[in-house]
Amino acid sequence: MKAILTYAWIMLKRFMRDPVYLFFMFAFPLIFLFIFGTIFGNQSSVNFNIAIINHADNDFAKSFVEKFDSDENETFTVNKDVSSMDEAKTKMSRGELDSIIEIPKDFGKISETCHPELVSGSTEYNVDSGRSVRNEPHPATRGFQNDNNINCLPSGQLKVYFDEGSPQAGQTVATIMSGILDEMNAGITGQKPLFTVEQKSAGEAGLSQFDYTFAGLLSYVLMTMGIYALSQQLPSEKKTGSLRRIKATPFKPWQLLTSLALVYLVLTFLSAILMIVVGILVFDFQMRGSWLVLATFATISTLTMIGFGAIVAGAARNENQATMASQLIAFPMMFLGGVFFPRFLMPDWLQNITAWIPLTPVGEGVRYITTEGASLFAVWPQLLMIIGWGLVAYLIAFKVFKWE
Amino acid sequence: MKNIIEVENLSKKYGDKIAVDSISFTVKKGEVFGILGPNGAGKTTTMEMMEAMRPIDSGSVLIDGIDVAKHPNKIKKIVGVQLQSSAFYDKVTLIDSLKMFASFYGQKVDPMELLEEVNLIEKARAFPEKLSGGQRQRFSIATALVNRPKVLFLDEPTTGLDPQARRNMWELIEQIKAKHITVILTSHYMEEAQRLCDRLAIMDEGKIIALDSPDKMIKDLLGRGFKPKRTIEQADLEDVYIDLTGKELRE
């Protein structure tokens, strides 16, 4: 035991004497943090790039378009450079636009059959301020409007175009549009809709897209430090011969690997703490769970990941073999383990397979703890699988270990 | 004197090539035993099998009564090893390195005492990569002494060293011998073998072709009617070199 701790301590001191190595080791995950943080950091919700092609020249249509330019509109980013429908379609096919909204010529026109003298006059609309304004409805006096009344109100139909490749975006935009129009209809006619949908976030208020992504980044750090770092160190020591010298002593492979697991556990924690500090200070990361629970969960997860690194480190004869083998293990985990791309977007059969990837329970656990405040007990299925994988990894690692 | 090492019919094959071909010899307690021979003769393979660094194909090695093949870890505890091709961790001070090696044996050592034995006190806080060739070899011997071994294996301890460093190494080996530690060494330098070794084995193509004390070997050769090509001079070029440059270490 003393040998394990002595070796670990001396190895840690050795790393601390190599600031360049440490810099790169810690900088790499931070670069990911800044990339993802910038993409998701300042947005509270989804955002669509749209172009509005307005064929109508009445005031109503104009005020409708201006609605989208206001600052309070966070859902849409209007591309104003687009002037023609063809141009918009080209841009959409390139993915620069999510959707095109076409306003036809007769949008907002008042029907010619309108006879204002017949209207009782309690409803009016005002486009001067750039938005429709309505009088408070008085259900007792104006429950239903007569035909003439409806004819005297503006009407029209919007067209929402979307790319065939991304129907979700188009449908979402169309739904939001009809929501906006419903609101306008109700405002103009003064009719209160009978059935409505209330939108509400299921999580606690203030959970941002970044918090969700951050959990994935944390899991990613636990994996890279475990798999890449160790799998590079040992093969290079096989080359220099320092490992060979240790082979001549009674220090056994399991002691060496245990010792290195401790070393990389400490380094992973340093890297993760650095990421969390930057996440909180720069990107306003909101931690919902207990730090102690996260630390315990991360310890177990990291040890399992180090186990996979140890397989590669022990079996590889040189750094080239180790690099290739660790990529082969880490890449599928990274992309299929639900860390960067949610697994629920995958087809069912792939979800069933990827559920067994060792990184999947790590990502889920970290996410449940940081975004939902889950307890260790709540993540027991994840823990069980991580521990199971860990045992398998270390058994293989001890078996395939080579000193030189 | 008692035998501390008994090697019997020791063999090693690499594929079709026989590296060590059923060799047998004994080493007496406290002696310096040399293994000489051209490159590829099987010296290092023999040493590594005795050190429990390499599996033994057939035959047996007993060190202090312990079977190497059966109890490799017991052997590792009582021998000290200096390997021909090995390195020490960079960015780890000599003191830390010695503490680390001692911990592998479950022992506590006074690193300064060990460094003093090999004359490296002033380098205690240096990193191995900053040492000269001779210093590195001496440090390597210090790490091999952390467990106070009964047998010390030195694989070509003076190869690549300048004459001063080599002489210094000889003195160190003589000091180790004075502490009654049995030393097995390989060498390419006959002068070194003649000065240090009580007995030596000459290996060629995996076999021991001669085994005796250096003096006896020379006497036997002369007895077979051997005449040196030229008369032995009273001094050679190395004596001239040492006389001109001095015995002091340059590092």
Side-chain angles (χ1 to χ4, degrees):
Chain A
M1 192 60 206
K2 184 145 180 296
I4 293 173
L5 293 178
T6 308
Y7 180 78
W9 172 238
I10 286 173
M11 283 301 111
L12 270 178
K13 277 214 281 198
R14 180 171 171 243
F15 282 125
M16 295 307 153
R17 288 187 182 126
D18 197 343
V20 179
Y21 176 77
L22 285 181
F23 172 78
F24 282 111
M25 189 157 56
F26 292 150
F28 195 59
L30 281 183
I31 291 169
F32 265 94
L33 175 64
F34 275 94
I35 293 171
F36 281 89
T38 321
I39 295 173
F40 298 115
N42 300 322
Q43 271 166 223
S44 59
S45 61
V46 278
N47 188 291
F48 295 103
N49 289 312
I50 58 167
I52 300 175
I53 308 293
N54 189 3
H55 298 301
D57 58 353
N58 58 52
D59 288 344
F60 184 86
K62 258 183 213 157
S63 71
F64 178 78
V65 173
E66 278 163 21
K67 229 176 128 103
F68 290 95
D69 294 339
S70 61
D71 290 337
E72 54 203 275
N73 160 46
E74 287 176 342
T75 322
F76 297 113
T77 308
V78 181
N79 188 330
K80 286 193 187 130
D81 302 334
V82 185
S83 51
S84 77
M85 195 66 195
D86 286 341
E87 199 185 330
K89 278 182 177 163
T90 314
K91 278 203 188 292
M92 191 161 74
S93 69
R94 285 188 203 138
E96 289 171 41
L97 289 175
D98 293 306
S99 182
I100 306 164
I101 293 163
E102 190 183 30
I103 301 175
K105 226 176 157 58
D106 56 355
F107 185 80
K109 262 199 180 155
I110 295 167
S111 166
E112 279 150 22
T113 58
C114 166
H115 304 290
E117 62 276 13
L118 295 174
V119 181
S120 52
S122 65
T123 303
E124 61 185 62
Y125 66 90
N126 178 357
V127 291
D128 293 341
S129 65
R131 61 182 69 207
S132 48
V133 175
R134 60 178 164 88
N135 292 340
E136 280 304 310
H138 299 290
T141 56
R142 302 188 295 100
F144 296 94
Q145 313 276 335
N146 60 39
D147 282 353
N148 264 343
N149 213 339
I150 285 172
N151 284 339
C152 290
L153 296 173
S155 65
Q157 192 174 30
L158 284 178
K159 276 187 183 158
V160 175
Y161 294 87
F162 56 88
D163 194 62
E164 231 175 303
S166 55
Q168 293 99 331
Q171 279 158 15
T172 312
V173 171
T175 310
I176 296 171
M177 280 298 160
S178 36
I180 292 171
L181 292 182
D182 280 349
E183 215 173 279
M184 280 169 58
N185 289 342
I188 293 166
T189 61
Q191 263 184 14
K192 209 176 173 177
L194 295 176
F195 297 101
T196 57
V197 174
E198 189 187 9
Q199 284 191 29
K200 212 173 181 177
S201 154
E204 280 179 68
L207 180 65
S208 68
Q209 174 84 13
F210 176 75
D211 294 341
Y212 191 80
T213 312
F214 189 73
L217 280 171
L218 264 183
S219 327
Y220 167 77
V221 169
L222 305 189
M223 181 195 73
T224 43
M225 293 292 286
I227 293 184
Y228 283 120
L230 175 61
S231 66
Q232 290 300 306
Q233 189 203 332
L234 273 193
S236 88
E237 285 169 14
K238 287 179 192 180
K239 206 165 78 183
T240 61
S242 45
L243 213 53
R244 213 175 117 74
R245 178 62 186 85
I246 295 176
K247 186 190 177 189
T249 74
F251 202 49
K252 294 179 198 75
W254 72 265
Q255 290 176 302
L256 179 82
L257 291 179
T258 311
S259 198
L260 285 171
L262 284 179
V263 172
Y264 283 95
L265 184 64
V266 172
L267 292 177
T268 307
F269 260 71
L270 289 179
S271 180
I273 288 169
L274 190 66
M275 257 194 73
I276 290 169
V277 168
V278 175
I280 290 174
L281 294 182
V282 182
F283 299 105
D284 195 28
F285 163 65
Q286 302 286 324
M287 171 66 168
R288 314 228 164 268
S290 133
W291 291 110
L292 194 66
V293 170
L294 182 65
T296 314
F297 187 85
T299 303
I300 297 168
S301 305
T302 307
L303 287 176
T304 293
M305 290 300 147
I306 291 172
F308 286 99
I311 296 177
V312 176
R317 288 175 198 278
N318 55 51
E319 289 131 301
N320 291 341
Q321 287 181 0
T323 306
M324 293 317 289
S326 56
Q327 302 275 26
L328 204 68
I329 295 181
F331 261 78
M333 283 220 236
M334 202 155 106
F335 293 114
L336 298 174
V339 167
F340 289 145
F341 308 111
R343 279 180 53 247
F344 57 76
L345 294 182
M346 300 171 186
D348 280 348
W349 64 269
L350 194 57
Q351 281 192 44
N352 290 337
I353 297 172
T354 55
W356 295 97
I357 288 178
L359 192 61
T360 303
V362 174
E364 285 172 355
V366 171
R367 191 161 288 152
Y368 295 157
I369 292 167
T370 57
T371 65
E372 295 171 16
S375 65
L376 270 187
F377 184 73
V379 292
W380 74 265
Q382 281 78 20
L383 272 179
L384 199 70
M385 189 147 117
I386 294 167
I387 292 171
W389 268 117
L391 291 178
V392 171
Y394 281 98
L395 273 180
I396 299 175
F398 293 147
K399 212 131 205 130
V400 299
F401 182 83
K402 289 190 199 87
W403 282 104
E404 46 194 304
Chain B
M1 228 189 287
K2 221 180 98 195
N3 288 338
I4 190 161
I5 299 176
E6 289 175 0
V7 178
E8 235 183 86
N9 303 322
L10 187 66
S11 299
K12 183 82 194 176
K13 256 190 186 174
Y14 295 121
D16 283 343
K17 197 189 169 285
I18 297 168
V20 176
D21 190 1
S22 190
I23 60 171
S24 303
F25 61 93
T26 57
V27 179
K28 295 192 179 78
K29 200 169 179 177
E31 77 177 342
V32 176
F33 187 89
I35 302 177
L36 306 182
N39 282 329
K43 304 185 299 289
T44 299
T45 305
T46 303
M47 293 270 272
E48 288 183 351
M49 283 193 285
M50 295 166 77
E51 294 157 355
M53 289 281 287
R54 214 173 269 281
I56 292 170
D57 280 2
S58 67
S60 70
V61 179
L62 289 183
I63 298 180
D64 202 27
I66 302 165
D67 190 318
V68 173
K70 281 183 194 144
H71 306 286
N73 262 303
K74 278 190 187 167
I75 293 298
K76 284 177 180 176
K77 277 180 191 159
I78 60 161
V79 304
V81 171
Q82 185 215 36
L83 299 165
Q84 205 185 106
S85 56
S86 73
F88 294 96
Y89 280 118
D90 57 348
K91 297 194 172 61
V92 176
T93 62
L94 301 195
I95 290 186
D96 276 352
S97 230
L98 288 172
K99 280 185 188 161
M100 182 180 91
F101 275 101
S103 80
F104 294 160
Y105 295 93
Q107 289 188 7
K108 238 189 142 114
V109 292
D110 179 1
M112 295 312 271
E113 193 191 313
L114 274 167
L115 289 173
E116 197 174 358
E117 278 180 48
V118 298
N119 195 18
L120 280 175
I121 286 282
E122 74 280 10
K123 295 283 176 187
R125 281 178 179 78
F127 299 142
E129 63 267 32
K130 303 279 181 220
L131 299 181
S132 72
Q135 287 171 334
R136 205 168 300 169
Q137 286 298 57
R138 295 206 308 274
F139 177 61
S140 179
I141 287 180
T143 65
L145 292 172
V146 288
N147 57 330
R148 300 290 162 202
K150 290 181 176 168
V151 180
L152 182 65
F153 290 92
L154 305 174
D155 201 353
E156 297 190 16
T158 60
T159 297
L161 301 188
D162 68 26
Q164 281 89 357
R166 193 182 314 152
R167 268 147 217 272
N168 180 264
M169 181 63 74
W170 293 347
E171 281 164 25
L172 179 57
I173 294 170
E174 278 161 354
Q175 284 167 27
I176 291 166
K177 192 195 168 184
K179 288 180 183 150
H180 309 292
I181 295 172
T182 309
V183 178
I184 319 285
L185 67 86
T186 65
S187 180
H188 286 301
Y189 302 103
M190 297 309 129
E191 185 198 3
E192 176 174 305
Q194 195 174 347
R195 171 167 170 179
L196 292 174
C197 297
D198 296 305
R199 290 190 310 140
L200 50 90
I202 297 177
M203 284 186 80
D204 197 15
E205 293 179 339
K207 290 192 178 73
I208 292 181
I209 52 174
L211 196 161
D212 220 322
S213 70
D215 289 348
K216 181 81 184 344
M217 281 184 177
I218 293 168
K219 215 178 269 174
D220 287 353
L221 178 67
L222 294 172
R224 292 199 294 271
F226 175 84
K227 292 274 189 300
K229 277 178 191 148
R230 53 198 171 95
T231 51
I232 298 159
E233 285 166 44
Q234 295 302 304
D236 62 13
L237 186 58
E238 185 157 330
D239 294 325
V240 176
Y241 179 84
I242 291 292
D243 183 58
L244 289 174
T245 57
K247 274 191 168 182
E248 293 80 41
L249 277 171
R250 313 290 178 82
E251 45 197 23

